[in-house]
Amino acid sequence: MNLEFWLVIAVLIALALLVLLPPLFNRTPLRAADGEQRNTAIARQQLAELKLQLQNGVLSQEQYEAQYRELQLTLLDDLEGPIALTANAKTGRWVVPIIALGLPLISLFLYGMLGEPQALAKAELVATNQKAADNVANMVAKLIERLKQQPDDLEGWLMLGRSYVYMQQYQNAADVFAELNKRKPNDPAVMLHYADALAMARNGQMAGEPAELVFQALKLLPEDHTALWLAGMAKAEAGDFAEAISYWKKLSGLLPADNESQQQVQKMIQMAEAEQQKPQAAASSAAAVDITVKVELDAALKTKVQPQHTVFIYAQAVNGPKMPLAIVRKQVADLPASVILNDSVAMQPQTHLADFKQLRIVARISKTGNAMPQPGDLIGAAQLDSVSANPSVSITINQEVQ
């Protein structure tokens, strides 16, 4: 929280103390004033009774005058007598330091328990992300104009493609890298950029041109980390788990033990090994199914995402490896959305959704575009206990990955 926030808090607490504390220093003898008013009221009541008794003949004129004078003297003594209230003016002063110290501490404690201490930081982060997105958009517009004037600027094309990837506009990125690949052929880095963007634009599918580009780059750079990773993905998608494991194990051997990607590579190897050990299932005779998935984002979480963040909508087996069976990619800006999961968007050509009795349908918002769940991602899920008769399911993204 910034300095301005704490200054506002301090001013509010000071105002509260200014309202609460001054009455405790007030020396006005309130008890004396109250006593005078009370005695006067009693005297008036007694005088009225004396007059009534005189009228009724209960008192003679002499008796009435005697009691009237006595009443005057009594009232005069009450009004003029010393009332020891000066010493009592300090009554309650002991509570002043308690209020002065306790009020700020209790206020801060309650704010910490009931408030949102990170609200300002989150708001600043959202503003920063939006500003960064706006800066990239402005830079992209300038790059496009520059490339119109200087089409041979290869670094400009590369920068434009990377910018589109950052903005998660994968088809635009693929188009830019395709142009760069023509202008700078046989460059492994360009091929891999092109393959990755093209696969992302096709909902993560590597089959076809993306895989061809990856293996061309791998021939030129046999130990390139990105090439090995994508080659493994392509082989796993094609059902060749032995080759996928081979590529990923080679990549694992090239990565330092403490590298952040090492854990992810090991998980992919384990999933591929599990798939490899499964007996080959007979071809399913069940009819293909279309699973209609309706996805929406909980309103309470809308401030935690940006419109360009990626939304992965996929099906996975309830029992077995958790690698997605079929997947569709959207953006937060598309929500609420309705998509169809079927064999046409399967991660592996030989995968048929109808072969699985139970499916878990997941919708996950990735702020990084990473295919693997990361802390801070937002997620929602539902389970289908039957995939017959073209089922439909509704998912609300309402949880944060820890």
Side-chain angles (χ1 to χ4, degrees), residues 258-276:
D258 57 349
N259 188 278
E260 294 181 0
S261 300
Q262 185 69 256
Q263 185 177 4
Q264 188 173 355
V265 172
Q266 292 301 321
K267 286 182 179 179
M268 296 303 291
I269 291 173
Q270 291 172 8
M271 288 191 292
E273 288 176 340
E275 288 291 330
Q276 189 181 31

Side-chain angles (χ1 to χ4, degrees), residues 324-393:
L325 304 173
I327 187 169
V328 171
R329 184 191 303 269
K330 292 287 185 180
Q331 290 187 331
V332 171
D334 299 324
L335 298 179
S338 180
V339 303
I340 301 294
L341 293 179
N342 54 29
D343 294 347
S344 68
V345 292
M347 291 290 288
Q348 302 169 17
Q350 74 275 20
T351 298
H352 304 285
L353 294 178
D355 293 341
F356 300 88
K357 294 182 179 180
Q358 292 180 310
L359 291 175
R360 182 171 182 258
I361 311 300
V362 181
R364 178 172 60 86
I365 297 177
S366 172
K367 300 176 183 178
T368 62
N370 198 316
M372 298 294 291
Q374 303 290 324
D377 287 357
L378 306 181
I379 196 169
Q383 183 168 319
L384 281 176
D385 292 325
S386 174
V387 296
S388 61
N390 297 327
S392 63
V393 63

Side-chain angles (χ1 to χ4, degrees), residues 58-257:
V58 177
L59 295 177
S60 64
Q61 184 67 36
E62 290 80 5
Q63 290 174 327
Y64 170 78
E65 291 177 356
Q67 291 191 26
Y68 179 73
R69 286 192 296 270
E70 182 179 349
L71 180 60
Q72 285 181 315
L73 292 172
T74 301
L75 182 60
L76 185 61
D77 288 342
D78 287 342
L79 295 178
E80 294 183 352
I83 301 176
L85 290 179
T86 302
N88 292 333
K90 295 183 179 180
T91 302
R93 295 280 180 84
W94 57 272
V95 83
V96 171
I98 294 178
I99 293 177
L101 294 176
L103 179 63
L105 294 177
I106 292 174
S107 300
L108 292 175
F109 173 76
L110 289 176
Y111 177 73
M113 294 293 294
L114 305 177
E116 179 54 82
Q118 299 301 322
L120 283 177
K122 291 179 179 179
E124 290 175 356
L125 180 59
V126 170
T128 300
N129 290 341
Q130 185 60 48
K131 185 177 180 180
D134 292 342
N135 290 339
V136 172
N138 292 333
M139 183 187 72
V140 166
K142 293 179 181 178
L143 265 176
I144 293 173
E145 291 300 318
R146 192 175 82 186
L147 289 172
K148 289 179 179 178
Q149 304 298 324
Q150 304 175 24
D152 294 330
D153 182 1
L154 300 182
E155 288 298 322
W157 286 105
L158 179 61
M159 187 178 297
L160 180 59
R162 287 176 173 174
S163 299
Y164 277 132
V165 171
Y166 173 82
M167 297 168 69
Q168 299 187 4
Q169 297 181 17
Y170 299 114
Q171 187 57 58
N172 289 340
D175 294 341
V176 170
F177 287 128
E179 180 65 25
L180 181 58
N181 191 47
K182 293 177 183 178
R183 296 177 178 274
K184 194 179 182 181
N186 299 321
D187 186 307
V190 174
M191 292 179 184
L192 293 173
H193 279 305
Y194 182 20
D196 191 34
L198 193 57
M200 297 289 274
R202 297 178 178 179
N203 294 321
Q205 295 185 11
M206 296 289 298
E209 190 176 4
E212 293 173 5
L213 288 164
V214 168
F215 291 115
Q216 289 176 24
L218 195 59
K219 288 180 181 179
L220 299 172
L221 290 176
E223 295 188 349
D224 183 86
H225 294 181
T226 302
L228 289 169
W229 169 258
L230 293 177
M233 293 294 292
K235 288 297 183 181
E237 181 181 311
D240 190 348
F241 296 107
E243 282 294 309
I245 292 170
S246 175
Y247 285 123
W248 286 334
K249 283 188 174 181
K250 183 176 180 180
L251 173 59
S252 177
L254 296 172
L255 292 172

